[in-house]
Amino acid sequence: MESMGAPTSPVVHLHDRALDNLKFIRQTMERSSAFTSVPGWGGVAMGVTALVAAYLASTKSAARSWMIVWEWEALIGAAIGMFAIWRKERAAGQSILNGPGRKFFFGFGPPMVAALMLTVILYRGGLTDYLAGLWLS
C-alpha cells in the first residue's frame, strides 16, 4: 500500500550522476583555459625582449630615455602576445574574439589600462622611481 501524500521522484542512477559530474568538470576546465591562451613560446619571446629592454634601460641616465625604452618594450611585448594568441586560436579553429582569447583580453586588459594610467600620473608627477614597482605588481 502506497503512503498518501508522499511525492514520488524519478530515480537517478549513480551512472547518470557520474556522467553529469564529468560533463560539468570538462566544461569548467574548458572555460578556465583563458590563462593558457598565450603559448609558451610567446611568453619566452616576451621575456627575452624584456631582458633586452632591461639591459638597454639600465644604460640610460635620463628618465625620459628610460621611459622610451620601456614604452617600446610594452608595444613589442603586446604585439608578440597578441600574435601568439592569434596563431594558437587560429590553429584551434577558434576566433580570437570568442572563447579563451576573449576571456584573456577581458581579464588582462583592465589591469593593463589601470597600469598605463598610473604610469602617466607617476611620470608626470616626477615619481619615476615608483614605476618599476608598479609594473611588477
Side-chain angles (χ1 to χ4, degrees):
M1 184 164 142
E2 261 181 60
S3 63
M4 295 204 173
T8 59
S9 60
V11 176
V12 178
H13 298 285
L14 181 61
H15 176 73
D16 294 334
R17 288 188 61 196
L19 288 177
D20 286 340
N21 287 339
L22 286 174
K23 181 179 176 183
F24 172 77
I25 292 168
R26 181 177 294 127
Q27 289 172 344
T28 302
M29 295 290 288
E30 288 170 357
R31 285 192 306 265
S32 71
S33 66
F35 296 105
T36 62
S37 293
V38 179
W41 70 264
V44 169
M46 288 186 286
V48 168
T49 61
L51 289 172
V52 170
Y55 171 75
L56 291 174
S58 72
T59 65
K60 307 297 180 195
S61 59
R64 181 66 191 138
S65 299
W66 183 84
M67 279 291 293
I68 289 171
V69 169
W70 286 111
E71 288 167 355
W72 276 103
E73 170 53 26
L75 292 173
I76 292 168
I80 291 170
M82 286 189 281
F83 179 72
I85 291 170
W86 174 76
R87 278 190 52 151
K88 184 174 182 176
E89 296 287 325
R90 188 181 69 168
Q94 295 181 343
S95 167
I96 198 166
L97 302 175
N98 297 324
R102 180 177 180 198
K103 289 180 186 178
F104 177 81
F105 287 120
F106 280 116
F108 192 64
M112 290 294 96
V113 170
L116 174 64
M117 292 168 52
L118 286 171
T119 296
V120 170
I121 291 168
L122 290 174
Y123 181 77
R124 286 187 178 171
L127 302 171
T128 56
D129 292 344
Y130 296 103
L131 289 176
L134 167 70
W135 297 338
L136 287 173
S137 60

